Amino acid sequence: MEPFPKLETTRLLLNETTLADTDSVFALLSNPRVLTYYDIEQFQEIDQAASLINSDAGKYAKGLMLRWAVRQKESSKYIGGCGINRFEADRHTAVIGYEFCPSTWGKGFATESLQAVIEFCFSTHCPQHVNRIEAYTMTGNHASEAILGKLGFSREGLLRQHSFWKGSYHDLTLFSILRDEFNH
């Protein structure tokens, strides 16, 4: 297997999430503000973070996903995660997702890191050929919709009661960008 890819932007390093990040991942995913529009239950135990890190590593090893830890370049501080939640190889599609610490919201870190992920997806370095990148937002997640708009994604439509989590059905908006639409 190829070494885990590392990405770098002006302010950020994107690299592998390891068990050394367990406390940071737990802090992120136990924060109810972060999980407002997220399809997982709030973490209650630190072991949940370690299990997620191990699960993501296993899925990466099988070529199913590729998720990065996002770190501030100056301090190497973990500020969130982003990447390819799943490859849909038969459609040449990558479905992306992201989550960031509230202290970083509004500072452009999500946009900056996702720009690097998009470039990677459409490059020859991506482990699978990607022609289309999809992102789903829950109704009301205006900040995420704005990020996707800045990055050139098109809003394709509303998927009514598309998903079920936390005891409720949720409408999701589908966004996409195609390889031939992407401006490097």
Side-chain angles (χ1 to χ4, degrees), residues 90-145:
D90 57 328
R91 297 190 310 119
H92 301 151
T93 297
V95 178
I96 63 168
Y98 41 93
E99 60 282 333
F100 286 85
C101 298
S103 63
T104 68
W105 293 355
K107 298 180 180 176
F109 292 127
T111 303
E112 189 173 324
S113 60
L114 289 173
Q115 178 73 27
V117 170
I118 294 165
E119 290 172 7
F120 178 85
C121 283
F122 290 144
S123 77
T124 58
H125 302 292
C126 191
Q128 296 196 26
H129 175 72
V130 174
N131 183 62
R132 173 184 168 92
I133 301 172
E134 293 178 351
Y136 298 80
T137 63
M138 191 172 131
T139 301
N141 192 347
H142 303 297
S144 191
E145 291 177 355

Side-chain angles (χ1 to χ4, degrees), residues 14-101:
L14 283 71
N15 60 14
E16 188 171 13
T17 307
T18 68
L19 289 174
D21 298 308
T22 300
D23 289 342
S24 298
V25 171
F26 177 74
L28 182 68
L29 297 179
S30 63
N31 185 324
R33 290 180 63 205
V34 172
L35 300 178
T36 300
Y37 300 108
Y38 212 93
D39 63 348
I40 63 170
E41 296 290 335
Q42 182 178 347
F43 281 12
Q44 302 296 321
E45 305 287 334
I46 193 105
D47 292 348
Q48 292 173 282
S51 292
L52 178 66
I53 293 166
N54 286 329
S55 174
D56 285 357
K59 290 176 184 175
Y60 166 69
K62 293 176 183 172
L64 301 175
M65 72 180 321
L66 179 50
R67 300 257 315 158
W68 287 269
V70 180
R71 305 175 198 283
Q72 289 182 298
K73 194 182 280 186
E74 288 181 7
S75 64
S76 295
K77 180 182 177 186
Y78 178 96
I79 61 169
C82 71
I84 302 160
N85 291 350
R86 70 179 180 275
F87 286 106
E88 296 181 0
D90 57 328
R91 297 190 310 119
H92 301 151
T93 297
V95 178
I96 63 168
Y98 41 93
E99 60 282 333
F100 286 85
C101 298

